[in-house]
Amino acid sequence: MAKMEVKTSLLDNMIGVGDMVLLEPLSEDSFINNLKKRFDHSEIYTYIGSVVVSINPYRPLPIYSPEKVEEYRNRNFYELSPHIFALSDEAYRSLRDQDKDQCILITGESGAGKTEASKLVMSYVAAVCGKGAEVNQVKEQLLQSNPVLEAFGNAKTVRNDNSSRFGKYMDIEFDFKGDPLGGVISNYLLEKSRVVKQPRGERNFHIFYQILSGASEDLLNKLKLERDFSRYNYLSLDSARVNGVDDAVNFRTVRNAMQIVGFMDHETQSILEVVAAVLKLGNIEFKPESRVNGLDESKIKDKNELKEICELTGIDQSVLERAFSFRTVEAKQEKVSTTLNVAQAYYARDALAKNLYSRLFSWLVTRINESIKAQTKVRKKVMGVLDIYGFEIFEDNSFEQFIINYCNEKLQQIFIELTLKEEQEEYIREDIEWTHIEYFNNAIICDLIENNQTGILAMLDEECLRPGTVTDDTFLEKLNQVCATHQHFESRMSKCSRFLNDTSLPHSCFRIQHYAGKVMYQVEGFVDKNNDLLYRDLSQAMWKANHSLIKALFPEGNPAKINLKRPPTAGSQFKASVATLMKNLQTKNPNYIRCIKPNDKKAAHIFNEALVCHQVRYLGLLENVRVRRAGYAFRQPYELCLERYKMLCKQTWPHWRGPARAGVEVLFNELEIPEEEYSFGRSKIFIRNPRTLFKLEDLRKQRLEDLATLIQKIYRGWKCRTHFLLMKRSQIVIASWCRRYAQQKKYQRIKSSAIVVQSYIRGWKARKLLRELKHQKRCKEAATTIAAYWHGTQARRELKRLKEEARRKHAVAVIWAYWLGLKVRREYRKFFRANAGRKIYEFTLQKIMQKYFLEMKNKMPSLSPIDKNWPARPYLFLDSTHKELKRIFHLWRCKKYRDQFTDQQKLIYEEKLEASELFKDKKALYPASVGQPFHGAYLEISKNPKYKKLKDAVEEKIIIAEVVNKINRANGKCASRIFLLTKNNVLLADQKSGHIKSEVPLGDVTKVSMSSQNDGFFAVHLKEGSGAAGKGDFLFSSDHLIEMATKLYRTTLSQTKQKLNIEISDEFLVQFKQDKVCVKFIQGNQKNGNIPTCKRKNNRLLEVAVP
């Protein structure tokens, strides 16, 4: 039986209120209390309509397992308790099924869990989308890009051990099936000032500590680093170690992630070299020196660090040293070089470190995008995930906090706009009347910051570009003049008199009333951070590096591409990036995750109400609730509403047969709910007040209790009836077994009695029969005894008669035998005396020969033809017989051995015999060839595709196919050739191409000449006047000379019926064209081992040096 699916709802087993839209009454206190109640029960997620509010638990919770993923997969958003997986599934299904591009906006302050939330979203999407090797590779690359970016872009702060110090927006691209194709990452405003200085209790970026902790000693030596953190000025020592964080393990994780994403080994090494260079830049220190003209300049104290940096980056040490000491200013056609004092040199050093790291991070993002981008050009669906820094209010707020809070103002603006737009679209889609909702529009704050004429960013850029003396104070003065009357701008130096006596506002600060609250900014550093200048001398020095990555990071340093135009400021760049981001978000369907930090101690189970209240205010969560419930607080599809509340009406319970909307109308009319409390849309029922929903829930709960009671009653009745029927069946079974047992006992008694009676009757009958049989047996035995005695008497009489007759016959035979013996002895006595010696000799000789042959039978040697053992001769007179017998036996066993040969073996031994007759005791090379079989086809031309052309050209059977060295007739040098012997021809072919060079009929071969020494050199003499003899005789050198000469001899004899002349001499003549040349063999030391070397002495002599 299939397991019945249990349908649940957001409203079931609810701790507090799962959706803040249903909170009643709605106030800030009730909002915070509801969050606290759920947090205390480990319910960290709460809804505000379709918005997910997430509270960081600061501990692992068992709610992200694969089972949870399957639980939320393809489920309605409000079907289960609030969870980030529900929002992720809703976004993914909308993208896949409705073809709507999605974006998930994750906001909150540092330490609220934004980064972890983005990871959970990506891991859920990766788990529910398609499978396959290629899809899994794309998913793995997208997921593994996070550890890389976290290592280079995250750091420990006082609020968060893994705080993102940059904004990240990732577009994940899907195909029409919903399978991921790739992604694109955009980064915003890396906090590069952290590279050179960190607040107390905070760390630099993770990668610096990971390299020093996790790199091997060999890698540290290559990077010229030491493991001690205290050796580096850019690293904060008071919080170098973080509890629960293993930098060494994280370094290995990052290296593995970079490999999965697609970084090559040399790229990874280059990245680590740049990081090491940045780390060592902080150790460069300067000392003041006075010049002759009275100007101050700076010099590097210890040049060892500079030398190691130059070795890492491939920069000329003198070039980098000058860049730290001088600054060149170009204006039109003029160049002015000025010296840098110590303060300016330190500024240049820090500016270089910040720019180098910032550009490296941007390059990393670009390189990751190249690896994870979609490879196909099909139409794509996009899901964007925005993980960006939350609203920041510190004790000291500077330019970075100003930019971050500006971004959050823009996000809040688009959040309100898109939320209202979504509400309005749903009302229009459901044909519900839309009423205008009053809310705070923070566009006035955005305009204060980004207005092109009077905005703070515009005035900051104007001050940075203005000629003359520009300081942070002049910038503040300009703000006081332009923004003094703005209701959200506060400054003690402005024209507005209401802030003149505000002691909480220092003179060097200004305050902006953001949507999240008032933030005071210290104007110090605004101009420098907005300028973000890097001296051109340093850019050009970096471009001159032999390090390919560093050279690519500073393209403006190329002297051929000098641009005198001032680069855009940091503020203008960020403003353009935010505008692009907002434009991108407005084209997608938004999904929101609002992250809240419960306490500043990063501890579990602590809920700081004041801190949470502050975050609820600046995130605008109460305002979001009011927007959602301004019209109707709750809406639900008719089918789900009817399924949940159908038990409250007799007409709809247990099954409603009509349309769902009609069923809901009947249900609400039956419950007498006022018509002003609800409205009917096209597909949903809209409920205005949460009290109405809770009333329905109370009625449903009471009805469920009644139904439960009814079910229990019916179940108990069924259980009792079932028990009674079981007892009744049991009683019948027991009674039947008892009756059967009694009958069995009675039957056993009757059966036993019958058996006893039967046994007595059978015994009586058996005894009667036995008496009769015994009487008959005694009668038979008496007759047999009498007959036996009579037969015995008769037999004894006959035996006695036969014995008497036999004695008489034996006596006659004995007498006759004695008589015959006497006659014979008398007859032959005279002959025995005359021939006794000869008879004895012949008899003795016969016995000796018999003994000899019997002994030879047992002493015969083995049947091997090469076994020369033979028994010793026993008698001298048998010498000739012994030798003849040995010869006959050897011939016989040779015949037996030959009979075992196949035709192929016979041919081989015939060739070996022929070679023995030709070369034995004549050629020194012969003994070494005896044990080597003659293969003939050494090249296997038929199997080698290289010689296919040669095989096709030779139609006859190939007898020999061997590579030989052909001796050049002019200079004695060797060239490799393929030597082919067929039934009718000798062919020479090129070893590389297989092209036939020469073809000589066997009839034109007259003689083969060779030396008597241990070499493979031989000459083939051709018939004068033949077509092949145009250039003269052939000289060859081969490792198989004996085999080649033997086969050539036998083949020539078979075809021409004439024996080929084999000349063995250390001097012989050969014909070269018209000249006869003497080939002479001499002894000499060989450079190439045992290979003979040829040297043409003159026109008449060719010397061959052999070992």
Side-chain angles (χ1 to χ4, degrees):
M1 180 177 178
K3 184 179 178 181
M4 185 177 66
E5 181 180 359
V6 179
K7 294 188 177 180
T8 58
S9 170
L10 170 69
L11 301 171
D12 289 329
N13 303 321
M14 194 165 52
I15 298 172
V17 179
D19 190 346
M20 289 292 189
V21 175
L22 305 178
L23 186 63
E24 187 70 22
L26 177 63
S27 66
E28 188 175 88
D29 291 339
S30 63
F31 192 98
I32 301 300
N33 289 334
N34 187 55
L35 287 178
K36 185 177 187 303
K37 183 178 182 181
R38 292 179 60 79
F39 178 80
D40 292 340
H41 289 81
S42 298
E43 294 287 340
I44 62 171
Y45 296 112
T46 309
Y47 290 156
I48 301 178
S50 60
V51 177
V52 175
V53 178
S54 170
I55 302 180
N56 192 346
Y58 286 118
R59 61 190 175 99
L61 294 177
I63 58 174
Y64 307 109
S65 61
E67 292 76 15
K68 276 290 180 182
V69 172
E70 289 301 319
E71 182 180 346
Y72 280 86
R73 186 173 186 174
N74 294 326
R75 303 293 286 266
N76 184 275
F77 185 76
Y78 296 103
E79 192 171 344
L80 299 173
S81 59
H83 202 290
I84 194 172
F85 286 170
L87 180 136
S88 304
D89 187 74
E90 184 77 13
Y92 176 72
R93 286 192 293 114
S94 297
L95 176 137
R96 182 191 63 193
D97 302 335
Q98 302 176 18
D99 202 19
K100 291 182 180 178
D101 287 349
Q102 304 289 317
C103 65
I104 299 177
L105 307 181
I106 306 172
T107 57
E109 72 171 52
S110 179
K114 301 186 299 300
T115 302
E116 289 302 317
S118 68
K119 291 180 186 177
L120 290 170
V121 170
M122 293 178 64
S123 63
Y124 179 85
V125 174
V128 300
C129 63
K131 309 294 182 185
E134 186 175 347
V135 173
N136 288 339
Q137 181 183 1
V138 172
K139 291 192 291 188
E140 189 67 16
Q141 286 186 334
L142 291 173
L143 293 175
Q144 290 300 325
S145 64
N146 279 325
V148 179
L149 294 179
E150 284 184 14
F152 287 86
N154 288 25
K156 175 194 179 299
T157 65
V158 292
R159 298 185 176 185
N160 187 1
D161 290 343
N162 188 33
S163 176
S164 297
R165 306 319 298 162
F166 70 104
K168 181 180 73 173
Y169 177 75
M170 174 184 282
D171 269 333
I172 308 174
E173 299 172 337
F174 298 83
D175 62 8
F176 69 96
K177 303 188 300 296
D179 294 341
L181 298 173
V184 179
I185 299 174
S186 302
N187 65 300
Y188 302 95
L189 193 65
L190 177 73
E191 188 188 13
K192 57 187 177 182
S193 61
R194 181 172 292 273
V195 174
V196 298
K197 185 179 180 182
Q198 306 91 41
R200 180 175 295 277
E202 298 189 2
R203 292 206 314 176
N204 210 323
F205 292 103
H206 293 327
I207 188 62
F208 295 113
Y209 305 92
Q210 291 175 359
I211 289 178
L212 297 181
S213 299
S216 63
E217 293 296 336
D218 182 55
L219 180 58
L220 286 177
N221 291 334
K222 289 181 180 179
L223 299 178
K224 304 185 185 302
L225 296 176
E226 299 178 19
R227 211 174 288 280
D228 185 8
F229 294 161
S230 62
R231 289 277 294 109
Y232 303 100
N233 297 332
Y234 280 167
L235 298 185
S236 175
L237 298 180
D238 58 342
S239 57
R241 303 288 181 184
V242 181
N243 293 332
V245 176
D246 190 335
D247 289 314
V249 173
N250 290 342
F251 180 69
R252 291 191 289 271
T253 302
V254 171
R255 291 290 296 268
N256 182 58
M258 294 177 77
Q259 187 176 5
I260 293 174
V261 171
F263 283 89
M264 308 299 290
D265 289 342
H266 70 273
E267 290 178 322
T268 304
Q269 183 65 25
S270 298
I271 293 168
L272 297 180
E273 287 172 354
V274 174
V275 173
V278 171
L279 201 55
K280 296 183 76 64
L281 274 173
N283 291 351
I284 295 179
E285 296 182 349
F286 301 93
K287 60 182 178 180
E289 279 194 7
S290 298
R291 302 183 67 182
V292 178
N293 56 9
L295 296 176
D296 289 336
E297 66 176 13
S298 61
K299 290 291 183 181
I300 297 176
K301 288 183 180 180
D302 184 3
K303 296 185 180 180
N304 286 331
E305 294 286 352
L306 181 66
K307 179 182 177 182
E308 291 181 352
I309 292 173
C310 293
E311 290 174 356
L312 274 175
T313 58
I315 303 174
D316 186 357
Q317 183 174 343
S318 61
V319 173
L320 187 58
E321 184 177 2
R322 176 175 174 79
F324 280 135
S325 302
F326 293 88
R327 177 187 180 188
T328 303
V329 180
E330 297 185 21
K332 295 183 179 180
Q333 302 299 325
E334 296 182 0
K335 289 186 179 180
V336 179
S337 181
T338 60
T339 60
L340 300 179
N341 57 32
V342 172
Q344 291 171 332
Y346 276 116
Y347 174 83
R349 179 201 68 179
D350 292 346
L352 176 60
K354 291 187 291 185
N355 273 272
L356 192 58
Y357 191 83
S358 174
R359 296 183 188 207
L360 172 65
F361 186 79
S362 299
W363 181 88
L364 269 174
V365 173
T366 305
R367 178 64 182 83
I368 292 173
N369 284 338
E370 291 176 3
S371 295
I372 66 175
K373 68 180 179 182
Q375 302 299 322
T376 58
K377 296 184 178 180
V378 298
R379 182 178 177 273
K380 307 176 187 69
K381 305 174 183 178
V382 178
M383 175 184 289
V385 179
L386 179 64
D387 173 12
I388 202 163
Y389 15 60
F391 201 88
E392 292 189 349
I393 305 176
F394 299 148
E395 291 183 4
D396 297 326
N397 301 290
S398 187
F399 179 74
E400 290 85 1
Q401 283 68 46
F402 175 75
I403 290 295
I404 289 171
N405 294 342
Y406 160 61
C407 179
N408 278 271
E409 287 284 357
K410 295 294 291 184
L411 288 174
Q412 177 68 9
Q413 184 181 21
I414 195 173
F415 170 70
I416 295 297
E417 290 177 357
L418 293 179
T419 301
L420 289 175
K421 181 182 178 182
E422 182 183 359
E423 284 286 297
Q424 186 175 7
E425 287 178 352
E426 183 173 17
Y427 278 41
I428 294 172
R429 188 167 56 247
E430 294 293 331
D431 200 16
I432 300 294
E433 182 180 355
W434 170 259
T435 57
H436 180 70
I437 299 174
E438 293 292 337
Y439 66 97
F440 170 69
N441 190 344
N442 67 335
I444 186 172
I445 304 175
C446 296
D447 184 71
L448 169 65
I449 298 172
E450 67 181 3
N451 188 282
N452 291 331
Q453 301 297 327
T454 60
I456 296 176
L457 287 176
M459 286 184 285
L460 181 58
D461 288 347
E462 184 179 334
E463 278 296 298
C464 292
L465 298 175
R466 180 175 62 83
T469 303
V470 177
T471 63
D472 296 321
D473 293 334
T474 60
F475 165 62
L476 183 59
E477 290 177 6
K478 193 172 189 68
L479 285 182
N480 292 332
Q481 294 174 3
V482 178
C483 304
T485 58
H486 198 286
Q487 58 181 336
H488 292 275
F489 178 83
E490 301 175 4
S491 174
R492 199 167 179 183
M493 302 296 292
S494 65
K495 298 177 181 178
C496 185
S497 59
R498 58 195 173 105
F499 302 114
L500 292 177
N501 298 322
D502 188 352
T503 56
S504 64
L505 184 61
H507 292 284
S508 60
C509 301
F510 65 92
R511 190 159 52 204
I512 294 179
Q513 188 175 347
H514 291 281
Y515 77 92
K518 294 182 178 181
V519 182
M520 183 174 64
Y521 299 101
Q522 292 193 6
V523 76
E524 181 182 355
F526 262 64
V527 173
D528 285 341
K529 291 177 181 178
N530 188 50
N531 271 324
D532 193 23
L533 289 179
L534 179 66
Y535 296 151
R536 185 175 289 114
D537 302 75
L538 290 172
S539 297
Q540 292 176 350
M542 293 296 106
W543 187 84
K544 292 177 182 177
N546 292 328
H547 197 283
S548 58
L549 177 56
I550 293 179
K551 193 180 186 74
L553 295 180
F554 293 87
E556 75 277 11
N558 188 352
K561 298 180 180 179
I562 292 179
N563 186 6
L564 298 180
K565 185 179 179 181
R566 189 182 183 93
T569 61
S572 60
Q573 291 181 46
F574 187 75
K575 177 182 174 182
S577 300
V578 169
T580 304
L581 175 63
M582 297 303 119
K583 185 177 179 181
N584 191 0
L585 295 179
Q586 287 176 340
T587 63
K588 296 177 174 62
N589 184 50
N591 301 272
Y592 299 96
I593 301 174
R594 303 297 216 177
C595 297
I596 292 178
K597 181 170 65 173
N599 60 78
D600 280 329
K601 298 179 180 179
K602 295 180 278 190
H605 306 293
I606 298 178
F607 189 91
N608 188 326
E609 295 187 14
L611 178 63
V612 173
C613 180
H614 174 68
Q615 295 173 79
V616 167
R617 288 174 184 170
Y618 77 66
L619 286 173
L621 299 184
L622 274 175
E623 192 170 42
N624 188 14
V625 175
R626 292 190 181 99
V627 168
R628 282 303 303 256
R629 61 188 288 177
Y632 294 90
F634 184 77
R635 70 282 321 260
Q636 193 175 33
Y638 291 123
E639 293 79 5
L640 296 179
C641 182
L642 183 62
E643 180 69 23
R644 185 167 183 82
Y645 302 113
K646 63 182 179 180
M647 71 288 297
L648 301 181
C649 176
K650 293 182 179 180
Q651 301 178 46
T652 58
W653 177 258
H655 300 292
W656 172 257
R657 303 298 181 186
R661 172 170 177 167
V664 174
E665 290 179 358
V666 170
L667 176 65
F668 276 49
N669 290 333
E670 178 73 16
L671 296 176
E672 297 181 353
I673 297 176
E675 294 184 359
E676 63 272 10
E677 286 296 321
Y678 62 89
S679 291
F680 292 105
R682 295 181 185 274
S683 62
K684 295 180 182 179
I685 176 72
F686 287 76
I687 298 176
R688 186 179 300 278
N689 200 308
R691 284 192 298 272
T692 303
L693 180 64
F694 291 139
K695 178 183 176 182
L696 289 173
E697 283 297 311
D698 291 339
L699 293 173
R700 179 177 180 271
K701 184 177 180 180
Q702 182 62 42
R703 180 58 178 160
L704 287 177
E705 292 177 357
D706 296 340
L707 289 174
T709 303
L710 177 63
I711 292 171
Q712 289 176 351
K713 180 183 73 174
I714 295 173
Y715 171 73
R716 290 191 184 105
W718 169 83
K719 188 175 181 180
C720 290
R721 283 192 301 275
T722 304
H723 182 68
F724 167 74
L725 293 175
L726 178 62
M727 294 292 289
K728 184 179 180 181
R729 287 196 298 270
S730 301
Q731 186 271 333
I732 293 172
V733 170
I734 292 170
S736 65
W737 276 83
C738 289
R739 285 192 294 271
R740 187 183 74 167
Y741 177 76
Q743 291 297 322
Q744 283 177 342
K745 283 291 185 182
K746 182 178 179 181
Y747 168 75
Q748 289 294 338
R749 287 195 300 272
I750 296 173
K751 183 178 178 181
S752 300
S753 302
I755 291 172
V756 170
V757 174
Q758 288 176 355
S759 65
Y760 275 103
I761 293 175
R762 290 192 186 100
W764 173 78
K765 292 177 72 175
R767 287 189 295 274
K768 181 180 179 182
L769 179 62
L770 178 62
R771 285 192 297 269
E772 292 176 356
L773 291 175
K774 284 182 177 180
H775 177 72
Q776 293 176 4
K777 181 179 179 182
R778 281 194 296 270
C779 293
K780 287 181 180 179
E781 287 176 350
T784 302
T785 303
I786 294 169
Y789 275 100
W790 169 247
H791 291 151
T793 302
Q794 291 292 87
R796 285 190 293 274
R797 290 176 181 174
E798 182 66 22
L799 178 63
K800 185 176 180 181
R801 185 185 66 79
L802 291 174
K803 283 183 178 179
E804 186 65 29
E805 184 178 353
R807 276 196 298 273
R808 289 196 295 268
K809 288 182 179 180
H810 180 68
V812 173
V814 171
I815 294 169
W816 176 248
Y818 273 101
W819 169 245
L820 286 178
L822 179 63
K823 284 180 71 176
V824 169
R825 285 192 295 276
R826 288 176 180 176
E827 182 71 25
Y828 286 96
R829 185 175 290 143
K830 55 184 177 181
F831 297 105
F832 178 76
R833 291 190 183 97
N835 298 315
R838 187 172 59 85
K839 291 287 185 179
I840 292 170
Y841 171 77
E842 289 178 353
F843 179 80
T844 304
L845 187 63
Q846 184 181 359
K847 289 296 181 180
I848 290 174
M849 292 297 293
Q850 185 179 3
K851 180 181 179 183
Y852 168 72
F853 283 114
L854 289 174
E855 288 178 352
M856 286 295 292
K857 177 184 177 182
N858 297 326
K859 295 180 181 181
M860 293 298 287
S862 68
L863 295 180
S864 174
I866 62 174
D867 187 359
K868 296 184 179 181
N869 294 325
W870 187 251
R873 179 192 63 204
Y875 303 102
L876 182 62
F877 73 91
L878 292 176
D879 184 59
S880 59
T881 303
H882 196 69
K883 291 180 180 178
E884 183 63 19
L885 190 60
K886 178 180 179 182
R887 186 184 68 81
I888 293 171
F889 177 76
H890 181 68
L891 293 175
W892 173 78
R893 68 184 177 182
C894 287
K895 180 180 181 304
K896 295 287 287 183
Y897 186 76
R898 286 195 302 273
D899 290 343
Q900 300 174 5
F901 292 166
T902 62
D903 293 340
Q904 182 67 25
Q905 288 175 324
K906 288 180 181 180
L907 180 61
I908 292 174
Y909 281 105
E910 287 175 3
E911 289 179 348
K912 286 288 184 178
L913 185 60
E914 193 80 56
S916 175
E917 294 175 355
L918 292 174
F919 302 108
K920 186 176 181 182
D921 299 329
K922 299 176 184 179
K923 177 71 174 174
L925 187 64
Y926 170 74
S929 70
V930 172
Q932 299 177 355
F934 291 172
H935 293 297
Y938 290 95
L939 292 185
E940 297 184 347
I941 291 177
S942 59
K943 297 181 181 179
N944 195 334
K946 178 180 177 181
Y947 302 124
K948 185 177 183 302
K949 181 178 179 183
L950 180 59
K951 178 179 176 297
D952 296 340
V954 179
E955 299 178 353
E956 298 176 311
K957 179 182 177 182
I958 297 174
I959 300 172
I960 288 182
E962 165 68 339
V963 176
V964 300
N965 290 321
K966 179 180 173 294
I967 311 302
N968 191 294
R969 300 178 181 91
N971 52 25
K973 294 184 178 180
C974 298
S976 295
R977 292 287 186 270
I978 298 175
F979 184 95
L980 300 178
L981 173 62
T982 66
K983 289 184 178 180
N984 296 311
N985 298 291
V986 173
L987 297 95
L988 293 177
D990 184 80
Q991 185 185 5
K992 295 182 179 179
S993 63
H995 179 69
I996 297 177
K997 296 285 188 179
S998 303
E999 184 173 356
V1000 181
L1002 288 179
D1004 293 346
V1005 179
T1006 60
K1007 185 172 64 173
V1008 175
S1009 299
M1010 62 189 73
S1011 73
S1012 62
Q1013 302 184 40
N1014 192 19
D1015 64 274
F1017 190 92
F1018 68 100
V1020 178
H1021 300 270
L1022 305 180
K1023 185 186 295 184
E1024 293 186 8
S1026 63
K1031 294 184 180 181
D1033 299 337
F1034 290 103
L1035 298 179
F1036 300 108
S1037 176
S1038 172
D1039 294 335
H1040 303 92
L1041 168 61
I1042 302 299
E1043 179 182 358
M1044 294 179 68
T1046 303
K1047 288 184 180 289
L1048 183 59
Y1049 176 85
R1050 288 174 60 84
T1051 307
T1052 304
L1053 179 61
S1054 173
Q1055 295 301 316
T1056 63
K1057 307 303 180 183
Q1058 295 179 357
K1059 291 185 178 181
L1060 181 64
N1061 185 15
I1062 304 294
E1063 179 185 358
I1064 300 176
S1065 174
D1066 288 343
E1067 288 189 17
F1068 54 81
L1069 294 177
V1070 293
Q1071 184 75 31
F1072 287 172
K1073 293 185 180 179
Q1074 303 301 324
D1075 300 328
K1076 285 191 178 293
V1077 178
C1078 176
V1079 179
K1080 184 178 181 180
F1081 291 82
I1082 62 173
Q1083 296 289 330
N1085 294 326
Q1086 303 302 311
K1087 297 180 180 179
N1088 299 324
N1090 294 327
I1091 301 176
T1093 57
C1094 302
K1095 188 174 183 182
R1096 187 74 177 268
K1097 289 294 186 179
N1098 50 52
N1099 292 337
R1100 299 294 179 180
L1101 179 61
L1102 178 67
E1103 285 188 353
V1104 180
V1106 295

